[in-house]
Amino acid sequence: MERDEKFQKIIEAAKLYYLLDYTQSEIAKTLGVSRPTVSRFLQQAKSEGIVQIKIMDPTAEAENLSRKLRETFRLKQARVVPIPQYEENLIKNYLGHAAANYLNESVKDEDIIGVTWGTTLYHVAIELKQKFVRDVKVVQLKGGISYSETNTYASEILYLFGKAFNSTPHHLYLPAIVDQVVVKQAMEADRHIREIMDLGKQANIAIFTIGTVNPESLLFKLGYFTERDLAFLNGCAVGDICSRFFDRDGRICSQELNERTLGINLEELKTKESSILVAGGANKIEGIYGALKGGYANILITDQFTAKFLLDKAEES
């Protein structure tokens, strides 16, 4: 076989094998050579650089992004979840699974887990597996009674967390936000409510997400806000944690609104052993960035697209 003819057959064998999924026996028949010759052709195609194999390992990219997030935002831990498409419901499914796995790995005897509500936390809750731990407490970190028929998933989330960790959950049967500070003060004066709120402060684990400043977001559908509130938040806030709104630097937007909000304060999240933020998606990037700048989370669970956007924002700043 002449050199040029042999070279053409090596290329043809490589195309049939790597592009068209022919077997080596099928290639041998097509090219009129023996099967061992095909095997040598394919080996030569790799050794001479005719065929170059590149393996894309999404876990390697995720680990690299996790490291950069930890360093950039001074986090204890960051988990970056590879997702196939940057789509909201898909993101919540993948992040819910990852956050549930993280809790299953890390929750131990006598932990107190503070939980919020919303669709992202619901995806976490439904992915939880039962773990046999002793004396774990589960407590709701913010009020969740709605002024509308919109479901906050608060009861379902608390039930599923309690079931997973063999605990009777402590519900906070209050609205997230009230109209007057005196109403909040009266509610907090109740001995039973005070005990639940104190338990939330004692929680060594808090798990929460970012709410968006958007008429379609769950919190905005619950009927808590006046038109004046909405106008102010649209001009200042990038997101909320536990119904407490902050700007792009993580500063509380409205002290007046903050004083009418029932549940854990953002400053208290900074004291937690594990303050876990589970969030991703294009509409949450600004909010996640503000939360990280404010230091409200020491553990972040997000997707690879959001991770890249956050790192780009940090570099621009």
Side-chain angles (χ1 to χ4, degrees):
M1 192 184 297
E2 293 183 7
R3 180 174 174 77
D4 285 351
E5 183 188 354
K6 181 183 176 183
F7 188 70
Q8 285 303 316
K9 287 200 171 187
I10 290 171
I11 292 172
E12 189 64 24
K15 285 179 179 177
L16 292 170
Y17 189 73
Y18 290 105
L19 297 180
L20 299 177
D21 292 327
Y22 275 47
T23 67
Q24 291 190 20
S25 296
E26 289 170 336
I27 297 169
K29 287 179 186 176
T30 303
L31 299 182
V33 297
S34 68
R35 190 182 173 287
T37 299
V38 171
S39 182
R40 287 195 297 273
F41 282 173
L42 295 174
Q43 187 59 45
Q44 194 171 342
K46 283 195 285 185
S47 63
E48 294 187 9
I50 295 167
V51 170
Q52 297 180 14
I53 297 172
K54 185 177 181 182
I55 298 172
M56 301 299 292
D57 181 0
T59 59
E61 183 194 34
E63 286 170 11
N64 186 42
L65 290 169
S66 297
R67 177 184 57 78
K68 288 181 178 178
L69 286 170
R70 288 196 306 272
E71 292 170 357
T72 303
F73 297 105
R74 287 176 272 184
L75 299 167
K76 279 186 181 179
Q77 198 165 152
R79 290 206 173 182
V80 176
V81 183
I83 60 169
Q85 190 177 335
Y86 206 38
E87 192 273 320
E88 186 176 350
N89 286 328
L90 200 64
I91 293 167
K92 288 179 180 179
N93 284 334
Y94 275 77
L95 296 190
H97 182 71
N101 283 344
Y102 178 79
L103 288 170
N104 190 259
E105 292 166 16
S106 58
V107 170
K108 58 191 184 304
D109 293 348
E110 299 181 7
D111 277 342
I112 303 173
I113 308 169
V115 181
T116 59
W117 45 257
T119 53
T120 300
L121 266 292
Y122 181 64
H123 279 84
V124 176
I126 60 177
E127 293 285 351
L128 288 170
K129 295 178 177 64
Q130 190 161 22
K131 183 173 184 179
F132 294 99
V133 284
R134 293 183 300 103
D135 302 324
V136 166
K137 294 187 175 79
V138 174
V139 61
Q140 189 174 336
L141 290 179
K142 67 169 180 174
I145 292 175
S146 171
Y147 294 136
S148 73
E149 294 180 4
T150 304
N151 188 5
T152 65
Y153 300 98
S155 295
E156 295 96 322
I157 292 165
L158 268 287
Y159 167 75
L160 290 168
F161 267 79
K163 182 182 175 186
F165 300 113
N166 310 300
S167 174
T168 302
H170 299 265
H171 294 259
L172 191 59
Y173 291 114
L174 298 172
I177 300 165
V178 291
D179 287 339
Q180 302 291 332
V181 176
V182 290
V183 176
K184 174 187 169 180
Q185 290 168 340
M187 289 176 172
E188 290 180 339
D190 179 84
R191 175 168 54 90
H192 302 289
I193 290 171
R194 173 52 52 197
E195 284 174 2
I196 293 169
M197 294 186 74
D198 284 345
L199 190 62
K201 290 179 181 179
Q202 294 164 30
N204 61 311
I205 299 171
I207 182 163
F208 50 91
T209 190
I210 296 287
T212 58
V213 186
N214 184 311
E216 295 305 307
S217 74
L218 186 55
L219 186 61
F220 280 66
K221 290 180 178 178
L222 298 179
Y224 290 130
F225 302 111
T226 64
E227 289 298 321
R228 183 170 164 271
D229 290 333
L230 293 172
F232 181 81
L233 290 174
N234 279 317
C236 168
V238 294
D240 81 276
I241 294 172
C242 297
S243 307
R244 298 185 186 274
F245 288 85
F246 50 86
D247 64 18
R248 65 185 68 253
D249 293 312
R251 295 181 297 240
I252 290 293
C253 273
S254 166
Q255 285 300 333
E256 187 270 334
L257 180 60
N258 198 50
E259 286 167 8
R260 294 192 276 119
T261 303
L262 287 145
I264 197 163
N265 287 301
L266 294 189
E267 288 299 313
E268 290 166 346
L269 293 176
K270 295 180 180 181
T271 68
K272 304 298 183 191
E273 176 188 334
S274 297
S275 188
I276 307 165
L277 171 54
V278 185
N283 61 346
K284 294 195 175 186
I285 292 165
E286 294 290 334
I288 298 168
Y289 187 76
L292 295 177
K293 286 206 70 174
Y296 302 130
N298 56 31
I299 296 166
L300 174 65
I301 299 175
T302 193
D303 62 88
Q304 83 272 27
F305 299 108
T306 303
K308 289 173 186 174
F309 284 126
L310 291 170
L311 291 166
D312 287 346
K313 277 186 70 65
E315 198 171 317
E316 288 167 11
S317 299

